[in-house]
Amino acid sequence: MADVVIAEFMDEAAVDMLRARHDTLYDPELVDRPEDLAAAVATARALVVRNRTKVTEALIGKAPNLACVGRLGVGLDNIDLAACKARGVTVYPATGANDVAVAEYVVTTALTLLRGAYAATADVAAGRWPRQRLIGREAMDKRLGLVGYGSIARQTAARARVFGFSIAAFDPFLPESDPAWQDAERLDLDALLASCDVISLHVPLTAETRHMIDAAAIGRMKPGAVLVNTARGGVVDDKALAAALRDGTLGGAALDVFETEPLTEAAGQVFEGLGNLILTPHIAGVTAESNVRVSAVTAENVLKHLEALR
């Protein structure tokens, strides 16, 4: 039986690192077969997951030998941290390994939505010439507001400055004396929403952040502003967002995360017909390069932990 169970996709080189030292079960589809997953972890000392595998108290209870969980990413809302702590199971997020990928996604989608000129291929190829309709906005002298100012948000800020954005951020957990504030204006949330042309979310999903961007918060945003969410779907009220996009209150939005994942056809109907919207399947942090980094960091964390148990 496997000592290490990998329930979602991982870079093959990192899988081989684990296989070389431990009996390893690698099945990227295991996440979709809960009964098989429960059986697989019965002997496992390490479990490796992405964001879709729910590491619940019940699953942990079926893994009496479990010593650590390697998270191929940084969000931990799919892992019952209290249950892990109670059982002495250490959780290892791949902190920093996908920061660049997410930051590039945020800046790219913000620029795309501001400019608004990149969805006219069919019209142009057909001989239509919609120049007036496609006159958009520049990033120069716009303000980017970051809700949460951790490492990914700071990487985003560094790239956005190159395009002429000024930076503001809201982060009540980052002390005012932190050197990071030297390069960003520190604002409360209401002031940030009211003054920024682009809002990018970088907070975990907690009881306090669930639907923090609701109809009231959207109503406080600058008219025509753009919203980018690469954090967690539950941070945004999708219905309120869709309504604001439809009536022109907001200029656009990019969503990489959703309250229901994978997004179902039924859940996705709220976005039907919206042209000023970019939807992607929780892929902002996953590039060919970041997958290698995230996988390698996770494999190394698991190997070190298991080695320490000897």
Side-chain angles (χ1 to χ4, degrees), residues 12 31 61 84 90 93 97 111 118 150-151 158 160 174 223 240 245 247 258 272 302 305-307 310:
E12 288 284 355
V31 59
C84 286
T90 304
L111 292 171
Y118 305 116
S151 60
L174 188 65
L245 291 171
D247 66 20
F258 306 90
E272 187 175 357
V302 167
H305 192 96
L306 294 182
E307 182 66 26
R310 291 184 177 180

Side-chain angles (χ1 to χ4, degrees), residues 158-170:
R159 285 153 180 77
R161 288 188 192 97
V162 176
F163 289 95
F165 282 102
S166 61
I167 307 299
F170 163 71

Side-chain angles (χ1 to χ4, degrees), residues 8-301:
E8 298 182 63
F9 72 90
M10 189 176 189
D11 181 60
E12 288 284 355
V15 175
D16 288 342
M17 286 172 59
L18 293 166
R19 281 182 179 142
R21 305 271 290 278
H22 299 276
D23 185 3
T24 298
L25 171 62
Y26 175 47
D27 183 349
E29 310 303 324
L30 198 56
V31 59
D32 295 314
R33 305 195 312 275
E35 291 183 4
D36 291 345
L37 175 59
V41 299
T43 60
R45 293 192 297 158
L47 173 63
V48 177
V49 302
R50 286 189 180 269
N51 63 291
R52 291 185 56 218
T53 306
K54 305 302 181 185
V55 184
T56 62
E57 184 177 12
L59 182 63
I60 295 168
K62 296 180 185 299
N65 300 322
L66 191 65
C68 66
V69 175
R71 168 69 168 92
L72 294 160
V74 294
L76 299 176
D77 52 290
N78 60 310
I79 300 173
D80 188 331
L81 297 177
C84 286
K85 183 177 181 180
R87 267 282 313 278
V89 176
T90 304
V91 178
Y92 291 103
T95 304
N98 65 357
D99 290 4
V100 170
V102 178
E104 289 186 356
Y105 176 100
V106 173
V107 175
T108 300
T109 54
L111 292 171
T112 299
L113 290 164
L114 284 172
R115 191 63 187 262
Y118 305 116
T121 299
D123 282 344
V124 175
R128 294 181 285 273
W129 206 243
R131 294 186 74 199
Q132 290 296 114
R133 175 167 63 84
L134 298 181
I135 294 175
R137 294 176 285 171
E138 299 175 354
M140 181 65 70
D141 297 327
K142 299 296 188 298
R143 175 181 272 190
L144 170 63
L146 299 160
V147 180
Y149 201 41
S151 60
I152 293 176
R154 295 178 207 180
Q155 290 278 5
T156 301
R159 285 153 180 77
R161 288 188 192 97
V162 176
F163 289 95
F165 282 102
S166 61
I167 307 299
F170 163 71
D171 194 326
F173 301 103
L174 188 65
E176 190 171 357
S177 59
D178 194 289
W181 292 117
Q182 294 176 7
D183 296 322
E185 184 176 3
R186 189 171 186 260
L187 298 176
D188 63 31
L189 183 58
D190 284 348
L192 187 86
L193 295 175
S195 65
C196 290
D197 302 280
V198 177
I199 302 290
S200 182
L201 306 178
H202 300 272
V203 295
L205 180 60
T206 66
E208 290 73 27
T209 63
R210 183 173 292 279
H211 283 192
M212 72 184 300
I213 305 300
D214 57 8
I218 291 170
R220 294 193 293 273
M221 289 174 64
K222 194 173 180 179
V226 164
L227 176 71
V228 181
N229 186 14
T230 58
R232 284 294 181 269
V235 176
V236 176
D237 181 336
D238 289 346
K239 290 182 180 179
L241 174 63
L245 291 171
R246 274 202 178 83
D247 66 20
T249 300
L250 293 184
L255 303 179
D256 185 56
V257 288
F258 306 90
E259 289 197 73
T260 302
E261 290 193 13
L263 186 68
T264 63
E265 183 177 0
Q269 286 181 351
V270 69
F271 303 118
E272 187 175 357
L274 291 172
N276 51 348
L277 177 65
I278 296 171
L279 302 181
T280 52
H282 206 143
I283 202 74
V286 185
T287 60
E289 296 87 352
S290 73
N291 185 42
V292 171
R293 293 192 299 268
V294 165
S295 298
V297 165
T298 302
E300 290 165 3
N301 285 337

